[in-house]
Amino acid sequence: MILTGAGISKESGLDTFRCEDGIWSRVSLEDVATPEGFARNPRLVHEFYNARRSKLCDPEIAPNAAHLALARLEQEWPGDVFLVTQNIDDLHERAGNRNLLHMHGELKKIRCDACDAHMEWVDELGVEHGCPQCHVVGRLRPHVVWFGEMPIGMDRIYEALDRCTLFMSIGTSGHVYPAAGFVSHVRMYTRAHTVELNMEPSNGATLFAETIYGPATEVVPAYIEALLSRPR
Ligand code: APR
């Protein structure tokens, strides 16, 4: 079981949230990542996600060696590999992971608050747009989980946490629950080995049995290589 966060996509050119120059140092999360912020100023929220969506569609943004290593793990590991990401980018699927869950939603999807239709969307989105399904105008929103909303797929995630034998946490600062609590859950209910791979110790670093620090493009491929070449 693998949990990833913004740090794994940093070397692909996408910003993290809580680093010195991170996204939350430039914009207020209350304004752009809460249902209340969206109700107050939908134009500002659309602008924020439009900019991030357009950056993600930039041909220069591509999966890096860490994403590719996780895709290799899914292909070559003899057991199940389940990847849960807090990231809304699509770099894991572009790298080749298939058994993947976006617990905080997906930047290239939107949904309609009027009819609950979900759809792929790579263009700009605005309050003037009507839903392609129900035609109601102004009720489309990014398919992302905001603070105060329930993350996606929690039943499936806890089921996997309960039976995993290895839990890897990659590129996440461990500040946002429920993801930040997964390591405690694994330690309490399973005998799984727990490992953190991150640039620096996360908020929950002491909860992991093993910790490895460095850039994801270096430490993740090295860890996966060692894992796959271990005698089984
Ligand atoms: N390699 C590995 N780790 C890195 C790298 C790198 N090149 N660059 C930064 N990091 C680490 C940072 O040290 C930090 O601990 O990645 C972590 C990123 O932390 P956050 O910015 O807090 O991102 P994340 O943990 O994914 O945030 C969780 O918060 O606002 C929300 O919804 C958003 O999904 C996000 C959630």
Side-chain angles (χ1 to χ4, degrees), residues 4-8 10-11 15-19 22 24 29 33 86-88 104 145 147 170-176 197-202 214-217 219:
T4 62
I8 195 166
K10 173 75 180 170
E11 290 161 88
D15 291 332
T16 59
F17 295 94
R18 293 172 186 77
C19 299
W24 299 149
L29 75 83
Q86 299 168 88
N87 299 342
I88 60 175
H104 290 169
V145 176
F147 287 91
I170 303 172
T172 176
S173 64
H175 278 99
V176 175
L197 297 109
N198 204 34
M199 189 63 104
E200 61 197 359
S202 74
T217 55
V219 296

Side-chain angles (χ1 to χ4, degrees), residues 9-71:
S9 297
K10 173 75 180 170
E11 290 161 88
S12 291
L14 299 177
D15 291 332
T16 59
F17 295 94
R18 293 172 186 77
C19 299
E20 215 177 307
D21 57 345
I23 294 174
W24 299 149
S25 70
R26 300 194 297 269
V27 281
S28 138
L29 75 83
E30 288 80 8
D31 286 342
V32 299
T34 61
E36 295 79 11
F38 187 54
R40 230 177 9 247
N41 192 347
R43 284 176 201 281
L44 178 77
V45 176
H46 283 312
E47 253 170 49
F48 174 71
Y49 289 99
N50 285 341
R52 291 180 66 196
R53 195 180 299 112
S54 124
K55 174 105 193 238
L56 183 57
C57 293
D58 182 327
E60 291 203 342
I61 304 293
N64 64 45
H67 297 104
L68 295 170
L70 295 184

